[in-house]
Amino acid sequence: MVTILEARNLNKSYTTLPDKPHSILKDIHLQLQKGEFVSIMGPSGSGKSTLLYTISGMDQASSGSVYFSGREISAFPEQALAQLRLTKMGFIFQHIHLLKNLNILDNIVLSAYMAKSSSREAVNRRALTLMQKMGIEELAHHNITEASGGQLQRVAICRALINNPEVLFGDEPTGALNSRSTNEIMDILADINAAGTTILLVTHDVKVAARSERVLFMMDGELVADRPIGNYVKDKDNLKVRESLLSKWLVDMGF
Ligand code: ADP
Ligand code: MG
């Protein structure tokens, strides 16, 4: 096993009132192995998004360290960190944040043009191949207002994958989708993981977490449990069993 991402003694607090720091992350330790698919579950306000942003270098911890492939990225200057995020990490969110004045293909390729690691022709080809895999290639030259929510989340996944990231992070990526689109998006994420991309998702949805192989549970800024659930294989009955196991754990933990 190769550790791709690691957090040690991570703490984060906000000072909203003078001399009264509000502690959001409390001494978090976590390790993500290359190729893993891990979910983080927990009640609203427990610090899941803050944890995701802190370990992906989008936000800074108050103390502690984050390592990406053995390098301490929490000590990187902002520009080096931005370059690492651009080339090694992909992000998908609940709200899709696409640019309205660009067509769908241009939204997908933008960060690859910025990374300048391949020619624009190669980037466009890669974007079209990704779009084909997601079944949205016919939308390439359309405006984002012409696509449905499920289609736009596929666009967001293509955008997140355009630089071939090592780790794909998601914060409630299906939070705005109906259950059919959720299942379709999760099928896509399972395939992406099977092809080798490490995935870390924040979710409160057992349908989403049931696709991962390990689930971390957060409560009041602390990681309170870390449970392996084995690899998901494409089997609907098995998925139901996994979902009910997770639901039971959530009840047991008082979530
Ligand atoms: P979750 O994603 O689990 O719902 P968050 O990580 O978004 O939780 O938030 C955890 C806690 O941190 C919440 O109590 C929230 O109000 C607080 N919080 C998040 N961002 C800020 C901020 N910028 N300033 C102050 N408090 C914040
Ligand atoms: Mg959140």
Side-chain angles (χ1 to χ4, degrees), residues 5-61:
L5 189 65
E6 181 171 1
R8 292 189 203 152
N9 306 99
L10 213 58
N11 287 282
K12 182 157 182 84
S13 45
Y14 289 108
T15 310
T16 34
L17 293 170
D19 308 321
K20 267 207 157 179
H22 177 39
S23 185
I24 311 291
L25 299 180
K26 300 171 188 164
D27 207 33
I28 302 275
H29 288 263
L30 74 80
Q31 276 194 343
L32 196 61
Q33 307 302 327
K34 206 168 168 48
E36 263 195 312
F37 185 167
V38 175
S39 296
I40 302 173
M41 298 195 85
S44 177
S46 57
K48 305 181 297 296
S49 296
T50 307
L51 177 60
L52 195 78
Y53 300 152
T54 311
I55 59 178
S56 60
M58 281 201 280
D59 197 359
Q60 258 195 331

Side-chain angles (χ1 to χ4, degrees), residues 179-194:
S179 79
R180 183 170 159 204
S181 296
T182 295
N183 280 327
E184 289 169 1
I185 293 296
M186 293 317 297
D187 284 339
I188 290 170
L189 293 182
D191 288 342
I192 291 166
N193 176 245

Side-chain angles (χ1 to χ4, degrees), residues 75-93:
F76 274 23
E78 180 49 45
Q79 210 178 347
L81 194 55
Q83 183 65 17
L84 181 109
R85 277 197 308 264
L86 184 63
T87 55
K88 308 274 189 202
M89 302 177 180
F91 296 90
I92 39 180
F93 304 95

Side-chain angles (χ1 to χ4, degrees), residues 123-228:
V123 167
N124 286 358
R125 274 200 304 278
R126 178 168 163 74
L128 289 167
T129 307
L130 283 168
M131 293 183 82
Q132 216 164 10
K133 279 191 196 154
M134 315 273 165
I136 52 166
E137 70 274 26
E138 75 282 2
L139 290 175
H141 300 289
H142 285 250
N143 196 287
I144 64 167
T145 53
E146 297 171 295
S148 70
Q151 287 172 327
L152 287 178
Q153 197 53 287
R154 288 161 201 248
V155 173
I157 294 173
C158 293
R159 179 185 57 182
L161 294 178
I162 193 68
N163 289 331
N164 206 6
E166 292 179 23
V167 181
L168 180 61
F169 295 93
D171 190 0
E172 309 270 9
T174 60
L177 302 180
N178 62 29
S179 79
R180 183 170 159 204
S181 296
T182 295
N183 280 327
E184 289 169 1
I185 293 296
M186 293 317 297
D187 284 339
I188 290 170
L189 293 182
D191 288 342
I192 291 166
N193 176 245
T197 307
T198 309
I199 300 184
L200 182 62
L201 292 187
V202 160
T203 183
H204 60 257
D205 185 351
V206 292
K207 273 183 173 316
V208 171
R211 305 295 187 119
S212 54
E213 60 190 284
R214 182 157 68 96
V215 185
L216 308 175
F217 296 88
M218 257 194 120
M219 183 93 117
D220 296 332
E222 288 182 76
L223 280 180
V224 293
D226 177 347
R227 299 195 177 169

